[in-house]
Amino acid sequence: MTADTSDHTAVLMTGAAGALGHAVVDEFLDAGRPVVALDRPGERLEALGTQEGVHPVPVDLGSRAAVQAAFAAVDALPVEPAALVCLAGGFTPGALADVDEAMLASLFGSN
């Protein structure tokens, strides 16, 4: 059973639609905290947004314009973020020497 999330003080979380993000979102919801879930647009974020107390905001953290638009969307929400949890990131399997520059730029851009 999810706790009451009627308190409008929320947690803003990047990387919310990932595996770790989902688990952390559930912990905050169970503690009665609404979550503003930032992640790349897609089915995982949309599915997360179907949970009561979750406010999904799609964003590409590698784009300054997208981040500014996302913050404007957050400002329009009925909750007010009072904490930030940064779980955005990613990984690529294998040795670092085998990772191409485009992948490295993507990983660094989202962190």
Side-chain angles (χ1 to χ4, degrees):
M1 182 171 144
T2 302
D4 177 22
T5 58
S6 59
D7 178 349
H8 296 287
T9 303
V11 174
L12 187 136
M13 184 182 308
T14 64
L20 178 59
H22 268 274
V24 176
V25 166
D26 288 344
E27 290 296 318
F28 279 112
L29 293 176
D30 288 346
R33 287 281 160 228
V35 176
V36 177
L38 275 71
D39 212 309
R40 292 181 177 134
E43 291 178 12
R44 294 176 68 143
L45 183 61
E46 290 172 14
L48 189 61
T50 64
Q51 295 184 55
E52 185 176 342
V54 176
H55 304 272
V57 178
V59 63
D60 173 2
L61 294 176
S63 164
R64 182 180 301 267
V67 170
Q68 290 171 338
F71 283 165
V74 170
D75 285 343
L77 292 173
V79 295
E80 183 176 335
L84 173 64
V85 177
C86 298
L87 298 176
F91 77 99
T92 184
L96 183 60
D98 296 333
V99 178
D100 65 34
E101 288 193 35
M103 177 56 79
L104 283 176
S106 173
L107 290 171
F108 284 115
S110 66
N111 287 286

